[in-house]
Amino acid sequence: MDNKFVITIGREYGSGGRVIGQAVAERLGIKFYDDEIIELISKESGLSIEAVSKLDGTKTSSFLYNAFMSTQAIPLNDEIFLAQSRVIKELAEKESCVIVSRCADYVLRDYKNLFNIFIYAPMEARIERTKSLYHDIANNYESYVKKMDKKRADYYNYFTPKKWGERCNYHMMIDSSVGIENTVNMLAAMVCALFGGEN
């Protein structure tokens, strides 16, 4: 594939979106970014990796207040989001890659070669996946999965004018309960059809 392109992946908790994104990147021979972005945000913002990790994926409730108070600093969450947006744009300009979450679909909305994907799955499948990966994470797995979904939705809905998980935000939505490998195969084939190359 000669042209640079970016695949962004939004996903429900427990749907396997991270694993799928990583496998698609490996299949296509391109870079994969999820938690790897934290170190880049740290360098961009001047904040410690620990601070960025702690606030990663969280929103603040005081942005509008601070936006109109010139004597107030921008909340750290917002500062991190701005640094993260710069990092994402720099990655898109530099190389083809897969970027998981972090509102990348919105940040790169004006980018030409962009393929936005949202991965979901039935609650039962997401609970089973969460149990298999994190045995002692919660007493009520369904409640935990819903809580994590809400956190992701709150973050996306706060930092963008769009609604998390709404189909008009994505080029493709796919139910990963058809199988991780099948999902990877379908996504890799679609990317190759869009941007050229062999699957």
Side-chain angles (χ1 to χ4, degrees), residues 56-109:
D56 184 43
T58 64
K59 67 182 183 70
T60 182
S61 61
S62 58
F63 177 77
L64 291 177
Y65 173 79
N66 282 310
F68 292 100
M69 298 295 288
S70 60
T71 58
Q72 298 291 324
I74 296 176
L76 276 180
N77 308 65
D78 300 273
E79 188 177 334
I80 287 171
F81 180 79
L82 293 173
Q84 172 181 279
S85 297
R86 291 191 295 270
V87 166
I88 288 171
K89 289 177 181 178
E90 288 168 6
L91 292 174
E93 287 301 319
K94 184 176 70 171
E95 61 194 355
S96 293
C97 59
V98 174
I99 301 175
V100 175
S101 295
R102 294 181 168 78
C103 305
D105 60 302
Y106 179 73
V107 171
L108 297 176
R109 61 194 179 279

Side-chain angles (χ1 to χ4, degrees), residues 2-172:
D2 296 327
N3 296 325
K4 290 195 298 292
F5 61 89
V6 177
I7 303 166
T8 73
I9 296 182
R11 81 278 197 222
E12 290 184 331
Y13 190 85
S15 64
R18 186 182 198 285
V19 172
I20 290 166
Q22 199 164 23
V24 168
E26 288 175 5
R27 178 80 61 84
L28 300 175
I30 61 177
K31 291 288 185 69
F32 172 81
Y33 293 101
D34 184 10
D35 292 340
E36 295 82 358
I37 289 181
I38 289 175
E39 185 176 347
L40 299 176
I41 296 170
S42 173
K43 291 177 181 177
E44 175 70 27
S45 65
L47 298 168
S48 70
I49 291 177
E50 292 74 18
V52 175
S53 296
K54 185 176 180 181
L55 295 173
D56 184 43
T58 64
K59 67 182 183 70
T60 182
S61 61
S62 58
F63 177 77
L64 291 177
Y65 173 79
N66 282 310
F68 292 100
M69 298 295 288
S70 60
T71 58
Q72 298 291 324
I74 296 176
L76 276 180
N77 308 65
D78 300 273
E79 188 177 334
I80 287 171
F81 180 79
L82 293 173
Q84 172 181 279
S85 297
R86 291 191 295 270
V87 166
I88 288 171
K89 289 177 181 178
E90 288 168 6
L91 292 174
E93 287 301 319
K94 184 176 70 171
E95 61 194 355
S96 293
C97 59
V98 174
I99 301 175
V100 175
S101 295
R102 294 181 168 78
C103 305
D105 60 302
Y106 179 73
V107 171
L108 297 176
R109 61 194 179 279
D110 297 324
Y111 189 77
K112 184 179 178 182
N113 292 334
L114 185 67
F115 186 41
N116 298 323
I117 300 163
F118 189 84
I119 298 172
Y120 64 96
M123 179 59 73
E124 297 77 14
R126 296 196 287 143
I127 289 172
E128 286 308 308
R129 181 171 183 80
T130 303
K131 280 182 180 179
S132 70
L133 294 174
Y134 310 106
H135 304 293
D136 302 316
I137 203 167
N139 293 324
N140 185 326
Y141 279 90
E142 181 173 352
S143 176
Y144 181 77
V145 168
K146 287 179 178 178
K147 176 183 174 183
M148 296 304 292
D149 275 351
K150 184 178 185 307
K151 181 182 177 184
R152 290 177 178 179
D154 286 348
Y155 180 80
Y156 186 91
N157 298 344
Y158 175 77
F159 282 111
T160 85
K162 298 184 176 185
K163 186 175 180 182
W164 181 78
E166 199 167 72
R167 64 183 182 182
C168 60
N169 300 335
Y170 312 98
H171 298 108
M172 185 175 186

